[in-house]
DNA sequence: TTGTAAGCGTTATCAG
DNA sequence: CTGATAACGCTTACAA
């Protein structure tokens, strides 16, 4: 491995000077700078990141933690973050927890060991109380997920508004039997709390009673969607519309419903969440709530960079608007 | 940051002993081992990877290079690699080139600096001649993509067989006007060479002349698929079937064709490639060539680990079989 | 079985 | 403007 000393020798300078060239220090004679550049070129020198991280204060590395990279929502988010990070001179470490608490913690250790200057969490497996201590080692920004705590830097969409808009849309289409089918649990915190409350509020305002049979939780995948359809088919009192927490559930649901002979949207209206590319190519195409993923990623990076640069944050919470995209499934 | 010395002090031993405990050396008294473990626990010690990489010979890190993580094929491949790597004790660095040659080279530098022990490349942007020198610093395994060179460790599917099977299937369905629409170029090397040759061979065997108008290259995305449909609609002599290089092009194509009033498969048959989750939920569901992505990922890791362990490779090429999945679009 | 000490490749400090 | 030198946290001869 060719190192800074080899370059120094080749250029006839000290390794300090080489280091200065690498790091663009201002006061170096043009002559020496040129010599060093040439030597680096000739020897194919590349600075060793381990050594830099070990010695320096700064790693110019950020990490983004997602549960599953095969989930298109997270893939697009990671992509946005990676590209914006790259633009701002950061290397992005992509970390997949597979929903394991221990893996999440292991990735947070990246801060502890100065492997990364900051972390963007797109999901949270552990309690915030267990994560918070890591902020002592570097900034953590939540993106997409959030917690019941005011001072945690967060970029997210307005889940309440999104869900409320979706349910209102179904009601306006004449539906009164609306199933609610989402990711997390029907709990009292974070993302799901907002969605749950919006669902309840929209129904209440329309004077519709809530049917507990039509509340399904912990549904994520296309497979889950198919199973939801089976559930619906088995019901004596079927819903006429379904709100789903992601386009993936929606697509599985739609496919199975179609196969069972249901006409969409006449027999069953379906609305998704995310506006993934798939939403447009489904038949019928999927009405859904569009999340501004690229903007979320960019803003998360911006906020993280501000924190890493010790700049004061104008606001610790950025709530981006969502958009109802009406297609054929409702 | 709590380091090995802090632990040593707390446990009342030397840092060497701590290091030995971390690395599971055999000859340590149970007593001291326990003391060290307790100290590590109490202090919340986590070994610093930079220091280990800098000092040691081994990083227990592998890197996987993909062009775009938002492409579901690569997302699934990365997922398989990450999980298998994790199982075998390796941390996986996920690297996205965005199809930039320079980024690919930058990632190959990971080998040079001992940031990774080995690399899996799922795509190739640069010429192999420019990549080959990096093998001096650590093993490189190709997965999915390949080059015209015998000794390069490669895991891939039989693209020729896959494409041939697909085209034969269309011919058996009675089609003689078959469009060919794929990713790379209609070139003479790698993945595309095999596909191209298979297309030509299948047509030739069936006594069908090749129509150059029906050969489209460099198509990748859903958007590309839509545009292909426009092209078809503008043709005076239209194909009756289309072979596409990925389910994504196929889905864009299908959607636009349906919108234009074409019946699928009667007016236009479509066959995809990959068997992504989307293939099943499309309407009509998509006939496609299934790639064993999970197996590819696992085998790539296995092969890389063998090479990193300096074990001889039984064979440098593993060609996995593909499978025709017949659905409604043909 | 345990400890001492020399590095791995960089950057920060200090002196010139 | 430039250079010597001391860390950063860890592993590994070599000694004991």
């Amino acid at each position: 491995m060719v190192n800074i000393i080899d370059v120094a020798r080749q250029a006839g300078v000290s390794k300090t000077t080489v280091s200065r060239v690498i790091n663009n220090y201002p006061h170096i004679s043009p002559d020496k700078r040129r010599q060093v550049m040439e030597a680096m070129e000739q020897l194919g020198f590349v600075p060793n990141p381990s050594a830099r991280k070990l010695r320096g204060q700064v790693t110019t590395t950020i990490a983004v933690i997602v549960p599953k990279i095969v989930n298109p929502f997270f893939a697009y988010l990671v992509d946005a973050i990676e590209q914006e990070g790259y633009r701002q001179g950061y290397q992005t470490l992509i970390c997949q927890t597979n929903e394991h608490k221990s893996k999440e913690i292991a990735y947070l250790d990246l801060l502890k060991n100065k492997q990364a200057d900051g972390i963007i969490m797109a999901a949270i497996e552990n309690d915030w109380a267990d994560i918070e201590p890591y902020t002592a080692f570097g900034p953590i920004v939540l993106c997409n997920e959030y917690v019941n705590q005011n001072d945690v830097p967060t970029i997210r969409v307005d889940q309440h508004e999104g869900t409320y808009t979706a349910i209102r849309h179904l009601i306006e289409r004449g539906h009164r039997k609306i199933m609610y089918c989402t990711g997390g649990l029907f709990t009292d915190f974070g993302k799901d709390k907002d969605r749950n409350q919006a669902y309840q509020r929209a129904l209440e305002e329309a004077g519709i009673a809530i049917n507990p049979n039509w509340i399904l939780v912990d549904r994520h995948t296309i497979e889950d969607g198919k199973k939801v359809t089976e559930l619906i088919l088995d019901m004596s009192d079927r819903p006429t519309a379904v709100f789903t927490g992601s386009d993936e559930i929606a697509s599985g649901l739609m496919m199975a419903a179609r196969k069972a002979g249901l006409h969409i949207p006449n027999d069953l209206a379906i609305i998704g969440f995310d506006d993934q590319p798939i939403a447009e190519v489904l038949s019928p195409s999927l009405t859904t709530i569009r999340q501004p993923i690229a903007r979320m990623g960019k803003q998360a990076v911006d906020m993280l960079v501000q924190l890493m640069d010790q700049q004061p944050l104008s606001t610790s919470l950025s709530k981006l608007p969502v958009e109802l995209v009406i297609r054929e499934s409702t």
Side-chain angles (χ1 to χ4, degrees), chain A:
Chain A
M1 190 189 323
V2 32
N3 63 20
I4 206 174
I5 297 185
D6 299 326
V7 176
R9 203 164 12 226
Q10 171 96 358
V13 299
S14 76
K15 60 179 184 167
T16 306
T17 302
V18 177
S19 175
R20 291 196 173 113
V21 171
I22 297 170
N23 294 286
N24 277 313
Y25 269 69
H27 308 298
I28 298 193
S29 76
D31 245 28
K32 301 221 163 182
R33 181 185 297 277
R34 194 181 34 71
Q35 283 168 15
V36 170
M37 302 281 258
E38 275 170 11
M40 295 200 299
E41 177 69 28
Q42 280 171 35
L43 298 172
F45 168 79
V46 185
N48 183 318
S50 291
R52 305 185 92 167
K53 285 181 179 153
L54 186 57
R55 188 52 179 62
Q57 323 301 334
V58 167
T59 70
T60 60
T61 300
I62 62 180
V64 49
I65 303 181
V66 298
K68 287 205 151 288
I69 195 74
V70 296
N71 180 322
F73 175 82
F74 292 115
Y76 276 90
L77 187 59
V78 161
D79 180 53
I81 290 170
E82 198 267 340
Q83 298 212 36
E84 179 62 17
Y86 183 72
R87 222 183 50 72
Q88 301 206 25
Y90 289 89
Q91 216 221 317
T92 300
L93 242 39
I94 302 168
C95 308
Q96 165 165 277
T97 64
N98 259 300
E99 294 165 8
H100 290 334
K101 287 189 175 197
S102 60
K103 258 182 132 179
E104 181 171 272
I105 294 294
Y107 285 128
L108 290 171
D109 282 333
L110 291 170
L111 282 182
K112 243 184 176 169
N113 322 298
K114 291 254 172 298
Q115 302 307 294
D117 297 327
I119 290 186
I120 295 172
M121 298 184 74
I124 301 188
E125 304 300 334
N126 294 271
D127 292 334
W128 179 250
D130 295 327
I131 295 172
E132 196 275 332
Y134 286 88
T135 57
F137 304 101
I140 295 178
V141 167
L142 302 185
C143 180
N144 171 56
E145 193 52 89
Y146 50 97
V147 295
N148 278 352
Q149 199 106 19
N150 279 328
D151 47 347
V152 183
T154 306
I155 304 286
R156 61 186 185 88
V157 300
D158 193 328
Q159 300 281 347
H160 187 103
E161 187 208 342
T163 306
Y164 182 79
T165 306
I167 304 290
R168 282 294 315 163
H169 171 68
L170 294 174
I171 291 172
E172 278 159 19
R173 284 282 201 258
H175 295 282
R176 298 188 62 84
K177 298 178 165 191
I178 301 173
M179 176 177 265
Y180 174 84
C181 172
T182 187
L185 305 173
F186 205 76
T187 44
D188 211 31
F189 55 87
K191 190 157 126 179
D192 297 299
K193 173 184 147 205
D194 287 1
R195 290 190 178 180
N196 301 342
Q197 288 182 345
Y199 171 66
Q200 298 179 54
R201 175 179 148 225
L203 291 198
E204 252 168 46
E205 287 179 5
I208 303 172
I210 287 183
N211 182 338
N213 292 330
W214 295 338
I215 294 183
L216 303 179
V217 296
D218 199 17
R219 315 284 160 149
H220 303 268
T221 63
I222 290 176
E223 276 314 306
D224 289 340
K226 291 191 210 165
K227 284 178 196 144
V228 170
T229 300
E230 288 170 26
L231 279 179
I232 293 175
L233 293 173
D234 281 348
M235 288 181 172
S236 52
D237 190 16
R238 292 184 189 170
T240 61
V242 187
F243 165 86
T244 66
S246 77
D247 290 351
E248 291 177 286
I249 323 175
S251 64
L253 206 156
M254 177 185 289
M255 174 220 159
R258 217 173 40 222
K259 209 179 248 172
L262 295 185
H263 182 277
I264 296 164
N266 293 355
D267 297 330
L268 190 68
I270 301 176
I271 188 166
F273 212 105
D274 288 352
D275 195 27
Q276 293 175 11
I278 191 183
E280 195 193 6
V281 298
L282 288 174
S283 170
S285 56
L286 184 67
T287 296
T288 191
I289 302 294
R290 176 178 298 161
Q291 301 209 55
I293 302 188
R295 272 182 65 200
M296 290 171 71
K298 184 180 177 339
Q299 285 207 14
V301 173
D302 287 342
M303 190 179 262
L304 192 65
V305 168
Q306 275 186 47
L307 288 165
M308 294 188 300
D309 293 350
Q310 319 270 17
Q311 289 170 32
L313 234 47
S314 51
T315 168
S316 69
L317 168 63
S318 173
K319 218 194 254 186
L320 302 180
V322 293
E323 186 187 346
L324 172 65
V325 181
I326 300 175
R327 296 203 180 89
E328 301 163 351
S329 69
T330 54

